[in-house]
Amino acid sequence: MKNIALNDVHVSLGAKMVPFAGYNMPVQYEGVTAEHLTVREAVGVFDVSHMGEFLVSGKNALALLQKVTSNDVSKLAIGDAQYSCFPNTENGIVDDLICYRIKEEQYLLVVNASNIEKDWNWINKYNEEFHAELKDLSEDYSLLAIQGPKAVEAMQSLSSLDLADIPFYKFKVGDFAGIENVIISATGYTGSGGFEIYCKNSEVEQIWKRVFLAGAKYGIKPIGLAARDTLRLEMGYCLYGNDIDDTTSPIEAGLGWITKFTKDFINHEALAKQKEHKPEKRLVAFELNERGIPRQGYDIVDNNGNIIGNVTSGTMSPCLQKGIGLGYVPALFAKSGTRIHIQVRKKVIPATLVKLPFYKG
């Protein structure tokens, strides 16, 4: 089990540490609901340094990324970020990721911690044709997600850059908390705004301390992975291993918007055919109509009690105060407003399909 650079800091703050994707990670501090609401209403900081970072450079970097990712990397200007995925050859997804264009011929890929080795092997396999320069920086870099509506105001004193001038899914490289050449990215996994800060492991403790000093009067608090999950679910953001995996296609998962058929990428012909003929199953969002908490793996049943799918993610929404979830059902049942039922232990609870996001802000 690996430790992230700030492991001792989290322990000293009373974090409950749990094994996650091969790392000891802080899952919560004062409690999931309180941490969740801190991010929705003020500003909170996640340490997500377990995430993987690959640097892709050279004259064939773009060609390689166009082949292995579903989105159109050629659209990125320097300073742009892009959500994408690695399609596999079996109509599934190797991983989802964010691609940053750092320089003219240099890109940074940020991948899920549990898939670092799998992703590295996958991209290297296809790089045999392109010979781009690849570096795995995962063990050298830390990542802090400073999220919430007060994030910009709270952090502005730490940088000479105008943080309010960084649009969503754009980034700048500059000074932050006394450290030079920090990536300040207006991305996140919460739907409440803020930044993700990429820095070297040797720099992260200084940044952490200054972030909390600067944010003290704004009610800043450390936030664990449990609240990260409830926050992303309120927005309907997919989690790899739950809502998307090696057996689910981006079309089925509602990720057609990151799947661009203007280029030749892995399995694009099969995915284009699936899009044209409509997938047989779809990822849907539902709200429970009665009290209950849906959990991953619970059955989704129709009005006659027939099992038609299963829940991939579910929770009690801290903001909506009702059970919400995602799951796959046959396309016949996938229309918004459709009534379904969730088997919660021995009880069958009625639910309604809704349009995302659950949380409207």
Side-chain angles (χ1 to χ4, degrees), residues 91 248-253 268-281:
N91 286 6
T248 59
S249 87
I251 308 302
E252 293 168 341
H268 75 281
E269 291 179 352
L271 291 176
K273 191 174 295 185
Q274 187 181 71
K275 182 177 182 180
E276 180 185 352
H277 298 294
K278 310 297 184 190
E280 294 179 4
K281 65 177 182 178

Side-chain angles (χ1 to χ4, degrees), residues 23-43:
Y23 292 84
N24 287 312
M25 297 297 294
V27 67
Q28 68 179 53
Y29 298 85
E30 63 174 317
V32 179
T33 299
E35 293 170 34
H36 181 110
L37 295 176
T38 291
V39 174
R40 286 280 181 251
E41 297 166 3
V43 57

Side-chain angles (χ1 to χ4, degrees), residues 61-192:
L62 175 60
L64 170 64
L65 294 179
Q66 288 289 66
K67 181 69 176 180
V68 299
T69 69
S70 62
N71 214 331
D72 189 350
V73 187
S74 72
K75 300 295 186 185
L76 293 180
I78 295 170
D80 285 351
Q82 182 184 73
Y83 181 55
S84 190
C85 75
F86 294 134
N88 66 21
T89 56
E90 310 296 326
N91 286 6
I93 297 171
V94 178
D95 201 6
D96 62 337
L97 66 138
I98 296 180
C99 177
Y100 295 88
R101 190 174 185 187
I102 306 293
K103 297 177 182 176
E104 190 66 35
E105 295 182 343
Q106 188 175 82
Y107 301 83
L108 181 70
L109 307 183
V110 181
V111 303
N112 286 298
S114 56
N115 291 333
I116 291 172
E117 184 178 358
K118 180 175 78 162
D119 293 350
W120 181 250
N121 292 338
W122 182 260
I123 195 170
N124 272 278
K125 171 184 170 183
Y126 286 92
N127 193 40
E128 290 176 7
E129 175 187 347
F130 296 98
H131 306 290
E133 183 182 347
L134 300 178
K135 288 183 181 178
D136 183 356
L137 305 178
S138 306
E139 294 295 311
D140 304 322
Y141 277 76
S142 290
L143 173 55
L144 301 180
I146 305 167
Q147 299 283 292
K150 296 182 181 177
V152 172
E153 187 181 356
M155 295 299 107
Q156 185 55 69
S157 66
L158 296 180
S159 180
S160 63
L161 298 173
D162 184 355
L163 301 184
D165 195 40
I166 307 177
F168 191 49
Y169 264 76
K170 307 277 186 181
F171 71 94
K172 290 185 178 179
V173 179
D175 63 289
F176 189 81
I179 304 293
E180 297 294 330
N181 298 315
V182 173
I183 293 176
I184 306 169
S185 173
T187 47
Y189 199 43
T190 66
S192 283

Side-chain angles (χ1 to χ4, degrees), residues 238 242-244 247-259 271 273-286 300 308-313 325-336 338 340 353-354 356:
C238 289
N242 284 45
D243 316 302
I244 52 176
T247 68
T248 59
S249 87
I251 308 302
E252 293 168 341
L255 297 177
W257 61 280
I258 67 165
T259 311
L271 291 176
K273 191 174 295 185
Q274 187 181 71
K275 182 177 182 180
E276 180 185 352
H277 298 294
K278 310 297 184 190
E280 294 179 4
K281 65 177 182 178
R282 298 298 299 258
L283 184 66
V284 296
F286 63 85
I300 301 174
I308 57 172
N310 69 290
V311 176
T312 55
S313 289
L326 302 174
Y328 283 94
V329 298
L332 175 68
F333 294 90
K335 187 178 179 182
S336 181
T338 299
I340 57 170
L353 299 194
V354 297
L356 291 171

